[in-house]
Amino acid sequence: MMTQTSPKQAYLHAKQQTEFVDDASQTLAIELLEQCYRMLHKPGRARLQGVYLWGPVGRGKTWLMDMFHCSLQVPARRQHFHHFMQWVHRRLFALTGTAEPLNTLATELAQDIQVLCFDELFITDIGDAMLLGKLFQAIFDAGIAIVATSNQAPEQLYEGGFNRERLLPAIAAIQQHMQVVALDGGVDHRLHPGAGHQRYWVNNPAALTAVFARLSGPLPVSDKPLQFNKRPLQALKYSKSAIFLRFVDLCGQPIAATDFIALCDRFPAILLSEVPNLSGKTQAAKIARGTEDGVERVVAGDRELPALSATDDSVRRFIMLVDECYDRRIPLYIDAAVPLTELYIEGHLTAPFRRTLSRLQAMQYQRFV
């Protein structure tokens, strides 16, 4: 008989807290997570279905998945989805020349874990889209259960993407092996009132200076350039407790997701100053053609590239930074040129930035850490 707190028991305990807001869609989700949990811990279990939690930002998807993950008494891995895909690409490179490398990768995974928990399953890369059908099926065939969160229903993933038909087998595998539940209760639980803790200021650089002094205390402080994955990074100053950077020196540079991971590995708090208004006018979309049909538009061979603004690369890096800090519970202190709700209101990345805005708003409460 299991004595460890199950996902449902943890959820019922949370409901007893005075600040809890009841949500019918969460109740359905926790029942499905409970079923998955009990099947995972059942001796001689048959293959089970995972759970796919999707809905708008702030509906509690990550909170529910983490509740499930913390309850597990079987080997599991919990990762942001884009971190997992980076690992997959590295592992496939190492398996170059191996017959059926995806099956080999899935078999290796099954030797270490029984459950994969993915946060923010979101696909923008054609390379990932091409891999996922066979990858997901190999993972399911290896007996690994997947529990995932996403802002999109399975059938909406990579919608409008180039060669989207390559993703359809992955969508079919999700629908076959995972129970899909929409968390559409209409409540952004990240914004439920609680004790506030300001971590965002407008044109107030002195606020960050004071925060850095408080966090660092008597610790030694340096302004020497840092190295992350062999890339130089210039900080205004840093100590063992915090790092203080300018936006242009972090998000304005060719920083990769692995650099943000390393940054959060090293520093328990990040301060970012001089964050500009990130909105940008979108530029006209362009048509991509082959060399032989470059004069006239050819319906079968053309594809329309998305309209981009000059700031999009910096915005993407900022989104990665916020995601990493949020997932790791690393407080991010910001001094910006505009209020938080005006930080990004126009541009090609408006949809993914909605999650970023919600996460930054959640950081303005004590409960974040």
Side-chain angles (χ1 to χ4, degrees), residues 40-353:
L40 279 163
H41 295 85
K42 185 177 181 180
R45 63 179 174 84
R47 181 176 299 179
L48 74 162
Q49 286 191 304
V51 182
Y52 185 101
L53 306 170
W54 75 274
V57 297
R59 297 310 191 257
K61 303 183 295 294
T62 300
W63 177 67
L64 290 169
M65 185 188 71
D66 285 344
M67 192 176 293
F68 168 82
H69 179 253
C70 290
S71 300
L72 291 172
Q73 300 171 63
V74 297
R77 179 190 293 186
R78 193 270 194 211
Q79 279 189 297
H80 195 284
F81 182 69
H82 80 254
H83 291 173
F84 176 75
M85 290 308 299
Q86 288 173 352
W87 174 82
V88 167
H89 286 292
R90 290 195 302 270
R91 190 71 194 110
L92 289 179
F93 180 78
L95 291 170
T96 299
T98 303
E100 302 294 341
L102 289 174
N103 290 339
T104 300
L105 183 150
T107 300
E108 291 175 349
L109 271 177
Q111 292 172 355
D112 296 329
I113 61 172
Q114 296 181 35
V115 189
L116 269 172
C117 293
F118 291 141
D119 195 27
E120 301 295 346
L121 202 164
F122 184 74
I123 302 161
T124 58
D125 183 78
I126 180 60
D128 290 348
M130 292 170 65
L131 276 178
L132 283 176
K134 290 184 177 179
L135 174 62
F136 277 179
Q137 193 59 58
I139 289 173
F140 293 132
D141 287 345
I144 299 172
I146 295 179
V147 172
T149 73
S150 179
N151 291 338
Q152 298 174 306
E155 61 272 16
Q156 296 171 338
L157 290 169
Y158 196 50
E159 199 165 41
F162 180 57
N163 279 348
R164 185 176 184 267
E165 66 276 6
R166 303 296 294 271
L167 184 67
L168 298 182
I171 294 173
I174 289 172
Q175 293 171 332
Q176 179 184 355
H177 296 281
M178 300 176 73
Q179 299 185 82
V180 178
V181 56
L183 275 82
D184 54 359
V187 179
D188 189 338
H189 294 279
R190 295 177 186 156
L191 305 183
H192 184 57
H197 188 105
Q198 186 175 8
R199 296 187 177 96
Y200 188 100
W201 292 267
V202 179
N203 294 321
N204 188 1
L208 290 190
T209 300
V211 168
F212 183 83
R214 174 174 58 80
L215 293 175
S216 298
L219 294 172
V221 173
S222 176
D223 61 358
K224 294 180 180 179
L226 294 158
Q227 290 283 329
F228 284 100
N229 296 324
K230 298 183 180 180
R231 302 178 196 270
L233 177 64
Q234 182 61 57
L236 293 173
K237 48 189 172 181
Y238 57 91
S239 68
K240 287 185 177 181
S241 295
I243 184 168
F244 192 172
L245 305 123
R246 296 191 308 155
F247 178 87
V248 69
D249 293 328
L250 183 61
C251 299
Q253 305 301 318
I255 300 293
T258 51
D259 298 311
F260 291 119
I261 294 171
L263 190 68
C264 289
D265 283 343
R266 179 164 176 179
F267 296 103
I270 297 173
L271 288 69
L272 196 62
S273 69
E274 301 178 31
V275 178
N277 184 338
L278 299 178
S279 298
K281 293 284 186 181
T282 54
Q283 301 168 350
K286 298 184 182 296
I287 302 300
R289 299 189 176 99
T291 55
E292 68 280 358
D293 58 11
V295 178
E296 297 182 2
R297 180 166 187 154
V298 181
V299 175
D302 290 349
R303 59 188 175 100
E304 193 168 277
L305 300 178
L308 302 175
S309 80
T311 62
D312 277 347
D313 284 343
S314 294
V315 176
R316 284 194 182 90
R317 295 183 193 112
F318 183 74
I319 289 172
M320 285 193 291
L321 171 66
V322 173
D323 281 346
E324 192 64 30
C325 288
Y326 186 85
D327 288 342
R328 303 275 292 276
R329 290 299 187 264
I330 301 291
L332 177 62
Y333 298 86
I334 293 174
D335 181 50
V338 295
L340 183 50
T341 54
E342 300 173 19
L343 192 56
Y344 190 87
I345 57 177
E346 184 178 5
H348 177 63
L349 300 172
T350 303
F353 201 84

